[in-house]
Amino acid sequence: KRFGMEQAQQLVAVTSNNSNQSLPLFRIKGNNRIALSTIRPSADGNGYILRLQNASPFSAHAALESTRLNIYSAYYSDNLEKTGKEFNRSSFWMKPYECISIKLTIK
């Protein structure tokens, strides 16, 4: 599984002469077992699609924060960006090894 992920999501190194610190768009609080594996702009241009993965054999509780964006709404989503039920960013649980997609709309 790890080899497949490494092939599909290769790391890209970038250098810059800018010494200013850049804050991340999103931060997961409360549990270091949950990883933000993908961030991409939504097709409608109004937000982002996030993919979260619980990389452990245990259920995990966390919260999703945005450090630079004003999030208007958050919904569970699929790969085609069809939204489902509302996603509670301030408190959510993930099952062992679960992957979920979230569609965020920003103001």
Side-chain angles (χ1 to χ4, degrees):
K1 183 177 180 179
R2 187 176 82 199
F3 177 77
M5 288 182 66
E6 289 170 352
Q7 299 306 308
Q9 300 175 359
Q10 297 179 5
L11 294 177
V12 177
V14 178
T15 62
S16 172
N17 293 328
N18 186 347
S19 62
N20 294 335
Q21 182 180 6
S22 177
L23 294 173
L25 287 177
F26 304 100
R27 181 172 57 188
I28 299 171
K29 290 183 64 177
N31 197 309
N32 62 359
R33 296 181 182 125
I34 297 175
L36 179 58
S37 64
T38 305
I39 303 173
R40 66 177 172 85
S42 61
D44 61 13
N46 293 327
Y48 293 91
I49 304 296
L50 308 180
R51 167 85 43 155
L52 302 176
Q53 181 176 7
N54 180 359
S56 77
F58 306 102
S59 293
H61 181 257
L64 179 69
E65 285 186 345
S66 176
T67 55
R68 299 186 336 198
L69 300 173
N70 189 5
I71 298 173
Y72 177 72
S73 65
Y75 290 91
Y76 287 94
S77 180
D78 61 14
N79 287 336
L80 299 175
E81 300 186 20
K82 181 179 177 185
T83 57
K85 67 179 184 173
E86 190 170 0
F87 177 73
N88 182 357
R89 293 177 288 129
S90 62
S91 177
F92 65 93
W93 283 91
M94 290 184 69
K95 297 175 186 173
Y97 303 113
E98 181 179 27
C99 290
I100 58 173
S101 293
I102 308 298
K103 183 174 183 178
L104 299 177
T105 303
I106 58 173
K107 291 184 181 179

